[in-house]
Amino acid sequence: MSRAERSSPDARVAPSTGLRAGLREAKRLVVKVGSAVLSKGDIALHQATLERICRELVWLRKEGYQVVLVSSGAILAGMGRLGLTERPGSIPLKQAAAAVGQSLLMRHYEEAFAPYGQKLGQLLLTQEDFRSRYRYLNARNTLFTLLHLGVLPIINENDTVAVEEIKFGDNDHLSALVATLLGADLLVILTDLDGLYTADPRRDPNARLVHEVPRRSTGLHFWADDSGTGLGTGGMVTKVEAARAAAASGIPTIIAN
């Protein structure tokens, strides 16, 4: 079902000077990449795309940023190994594909980061890790320790054990929770579109890019629906919801290609 906030068609907002200055001062970033980006629409990981993302994250670290990556792709990698041609529909099959694919996903990242000597750490989280104060603090302490040691953490939902009651459902939501947990300065959600639009740019040639959505966006027109790809979950609506969740903690979000 489509969701949108409507006003005049000319309600696009240009990035404010204050926002740009704030982004320049950001030092701790959470970057989220989904299966649609990592696959480029195929049923396997697209190695060139993954390597380019890794190269850019290494550049950010060399520039002095602390970077945490929230990455989907375990189920996708498992699908390729198991010979599945479409995303599993049942929870047990998703869990099996994730169990097979998570180590493959990390191997791809290890290979992509190896030329730069970048150390990696892996965290697999469920909703319970954020509901329990004890587990929440443990996850937080682990992440800060990894960052202090110069390790780039890669976080994914623990699809092998997550069930309907505890699963995040999409890593957009997870990335907002991680950004809040870390007190990040910026959340970056990468997608296969150039950003948030006034309408679906794949169907409407008059769709225009929305450059900035204020924290209180009443009256601003933009398009967001839940039509994710066949390889991922969510769609633009989950990215908007993640941005709102991050904004509630004072964290700006960039949705970008």
Side-chain angles (χ1 to χ4, degrees), residues 172-188:
D172 297 323
H173 181 202
L174 174 59
S175 69
L177 291 173
V178 170
T180 301
L181 179 146
L182 286 170
D185 300 308
L186 180 65
L187 172 61
V188 180

Side-chain angles (χ1 to χ4, degrees), residues 145-164:
T145 301
L146 289 171
L147 292 173
H148 177 72
L149 294 171
V151 176
L152 195 155
I154 298 179
I155 300 175
N156 196 359
E157 181 178 5
N158 193 348
D159 291 314
T160 59
V161 300
V163 293
E164 290 295 345

Side-chain angles (χ1 to χ4, degrees), residues 20 27 49 51 58 74 80 105 167 172 174 176 197 208 242 246:
R20 285 177 171 170
K27 288 301 178 185
T49 297
E51 289 174 355
V58 168
L105 176 65
K167 69 191 294 291
D172 297 323
L174 174 59
Y197 282 84
R208 292 171 301 143

Side-chain angles (χ1 to χ4, degrees), residues 187-206:
L187 172 61
V188 180
I189 300 178
L190 301 180
T191 181
D192 52 0
L193 297 175
D194 287 338
L196 189 63
Y197 282 84
T198 56
D200 187 345
R202 295 165 297 192
R203 300 173 183 171
D204 186 346
N206 296 316

Side-chain angles (χ1 to χ4, degrees), residues 96-163:
V100 171
Q102 185 61 40
S103 61
L104 295 174
L105 176 65
M106 287 304 297
R107 188 180 75 186
H108 279 280
Y109 276 121
E110 289 281 1
E111 291 174 352
F113 278 112
Y116 310 103
Q118 177 61 58
K119 301 183 186 73
L120 305 180
Q122 175 183 252
L123 279 81
L124 300 177
L125 302 175
T126 70
Q127 192 76 264
E128 288 302 309
D129 296 309
F130 292 88
R131 289 175 180 164
S132 165
R133 183 66 176 170
Y134 176 76
R135 291 166 66 166
Y136 180 93
L137 291 176
N138 278 341
R140 188 173 186 272
N141 290 338
T142 298
L143 283 168
F144 277 121
T145 301
L146 289 171
L147 292 173
H148 177 72
L149 294 171
V151 176
L152 195 155
I154 298 179
I155 300 175
N156 196 359
E157 181 178 5
N158 193 348
D159 291 314
T160 59
V161 300
V163 293

Side-chain angles (χ1 to χ4, degrees), residues 1 16 32 37 45 85 96 126 133 229 232:
M1 183 175 67
S16 66
K32 182 266 175 180
V37 173
L45 294 171
T85 57
T126 70
R133 183 66 176 170
T229 70

